Amino acid sequence: MAALRDARRRDRRVYTRSHPLLFALLAAVRRRPVARAGRAVLVSGTEEYREALTRIPLDRAAAGTTGGVARELSGGGSLFDQEGGDHRDTRRAVAGDLGAAGVERLRPVGRTVLARRLAPLAAGRPVDLVPLARELAGATVRALLDTTADPSALAEAAADAAAAAVRDHLPGPRLPGTARAAAKATARLEALLADGSATPTALRAMIAVAAVNTTVAAVPRAAAWCADGSLWEQAADDRLRPALVDELLRVTAPSPLLPRVAAADAVLGGCPVRAGDRLVLVARHAVGADREPPDAHRPAPVAVARLVFGAGPHACPGARLALAQLDDVLAALAPYRPTVVASRVDRRAALPSWRRLTVRATTATRPLTESSA
């Protein structure tokens, strides 16, 4: 238990040092399933969170929501701001690449990055998992979107776009020029992806933003939990690792808040909701990340853990890829039983993240190869 307390203490720093106002907000509402603050309704209860996503009509393009930012930056039509038939058609267009067969096609790309990036551990040298996560995300998105863009440039542009735009969802002062910087970063990202694909460039850009930023947020934090919380034995067990992946994504909740706007009057957990009210859906609390540490032997129900991906027809289409990707990362790291030797919070990132998370092996092992992954 002491190890898990240490792991939680380190992970809390990505909130308290990079998003202190966000963390204060989360702490203030964590014991109330639904709480109103002016025209905002903060939703932390598991069932209330699910109900808000599946039963309450939502304004998908409202300012300050994920869809609203997508429409502002890309001109709309990018899945995140769509509803009804348009959303179904767009989602169907990307479903094949993110389904079971598509994910298996992508996994060797990530495994190649892992084999090369983690090889220094076998020689006793440290590895920073943040640039590893960036390259992993960039290379995977490059293959997913079938683009010739450089993976590092792709990841950097996606991170810059999110840092300038997504932070607009979070509580706290807005820096001057944020909208202009976001538009410039998104234009740079779209330029990298404008290579003749039949898929609209705006959709490709927003997929890249979502995939890169959640991967860079989740992977180093998950590894730190394993290192600090003595979870490498679970990560090394092929039978337990899938449950551990769900548990680590549950406690890291890479997108801790889902900002939405109600499109009609409703009642949520006994609290009246009016059309136009801002809904702040606290994924971190809905899945119990603040209460229960990760444990593959006693995991949360999958239906609860995967609420970090949303719920209903607008749930994240990349959930299967995220689960497979983290499974491969844990399988590659587990033989080394790495420990964290240095960490620094990223105060600029759109999502709570590490800027540096350096690990060193505690066991000698042969380097991972692509064929052994």
Side-chain angles (χ1 to χ4, degrees), residues 19 34 56 81 85 142 171 182 219 254 278 305 309 352-353:
H19 298 81
V34 182
I56 295 180
D81 63 337
R142 183 179 191 263
V219 166
R278 186 165 299 278
F309 297 111
S353 307

Side-chain angles (χ1 to χ4, degrees), residues 2 28 58 74 77 98 102 111-112 120 135 161 173 198-199 206 228 254 257 268 275 300 305 322 327 335 366 370:
L58 301 174
S74 64
L98 293 171
R111 288 169 173 168
T112 298
E135 184 179 353
T199 305
M206 297 314 295
D228 294 336
L257 299 181
L268 185 62
D327 188 283
R366 63 186 178 84
E370 184 179 354

Side-chain angles (χ1 to χ4, degrees), residues 18-115:
S18 66
H19 298 81
L21 292 176
L22 168 61
F23 188 80
L25 171 66
L26 295 180
V29 303
R30 67 178 181 270
R31 300 188 187 281
R32 300 179 63 183
V34 182
R36 175 174 285 280
R39 290 302 304 272
V41 178
L42 295 92
V43 183
S44 298
T46 303
E47 292 310 314
E48 292 82 1
Y49 174 96
R50 193 194 312 274
E51 186 177 355
L53 288 170
T54 58
R55 191 183 65 80
I56 295 180
L58 301 174
D59 184 346
R60 299 285 296 171
T65 67
T66 305
V69 170
R71 175 159 294 194
E72 179 182 344
L73 296 181
S74 64
S78 63
L79 184 67
F80 301 91
D81 63 337
Q82 292 176 322
E83 190 60 87
D86 289 342
H87 178 267
R88 287 192 295 272
D89 291 344
T90 304
R91 193 177 181 94
R92 192 177 300 117
V94 301
D97 290 335
L98 293 171
V103 168
E104 288 308 309
R105 178 182 68 84
L106 293 170
R107 291 182 87 165
V109 175
R111 288 169 173 168
T112 298
V113 172
L114 291 170

Side-chain angles (χ1 to χ4, degrees), residues 183-245:
K184 183 177 179 180
T186 302
R188 180 160 62 95
L189 176 59
E190 291 188 347
L192 288 171
L193 296 172
D195 53 8
S197 170
T199 305
T201 301
L203 173 59
R204 288 153 62 83
M206 297 314 295
I207 288 174
V209 166
V212 167
N213 287 280
T214 53
T215 299
V216 174
V219 166
R221 288 177 62 195
W225 265 101
C226 288
D228 294 336
S230 301
L231 298 174
W232 288 125
E233 290 298 328
Q234 294 184 18
D237 189 322
D238 292 342
R239 296 166 300 175
L240 289 176
R241 192 167 56 251
L244 182 62
V245 167

Side-chain angles (χ1 to χ4, degrees), residues 212-372:
V212 167
N213 287 280
T214 53
T215 299
V216 174
V219 166
R221 288 177 62 195
W225 265 101
C226 288
D228 294 336
S230 301
L231 298 174
W232 288 125
E233 290 298 328
Q234 294 184 18
D237 189 322
D238 292 342
R239 296 166 300 175
L240 289 176
R241 192 167 56 251
L244 182 62
V245 167
D246 271 319
E247 283 288 276
L248 289 169
L249 288 172
R250 177 182 65 81
V251 298
T252 57
S255 296
L257 299 181
L258 301 184
R260 300 290 187 264
V261 169
D265 292 351
V267 176
L268 185 62
C271 177
V273 175
R274 299 187 296 274
D277 278 352
R278 186 165 299 278
L279 303 178
V280 182
L281 310 182
V282 188
R284 175 177 167 80
H285 294 167
V287 299
D290 58 319
R291 300 186 301 273
E292 299 295 333
D295 187 350
H297 293 289
R298 291 175 292 277
V302 170
V304 172
R306 295 193 184 174
L307 286 175
V308 295
F309 297 111
H314 296 286
C316 175
R320 189 191 299 269
L321 176 59
L323 293 163
Q325 204 167 54
L326 185 54
D327 188 283
D328 287 339
V329 170
L330 297 182
L333 282 169
Y336 298 103
R337 303 300 194 272
T339 186
V340 178
V341 296
S343 62
R344 183 170 58 170
V345 169
D346 192 340
R347 299 176 187 273
R348 179 179 174 274
L351 302 175
S353 307
W354 293 109
R355 182 175 180 83
R356 179 177 63 170
L357 198 289
T358 305
V359 299
R360 190 186 298 274
T362 61
T363 62
T365 188
R366 63 186 178 84
L368 180 71
T369 64
E370 184 179 354
S371 61
S372 66

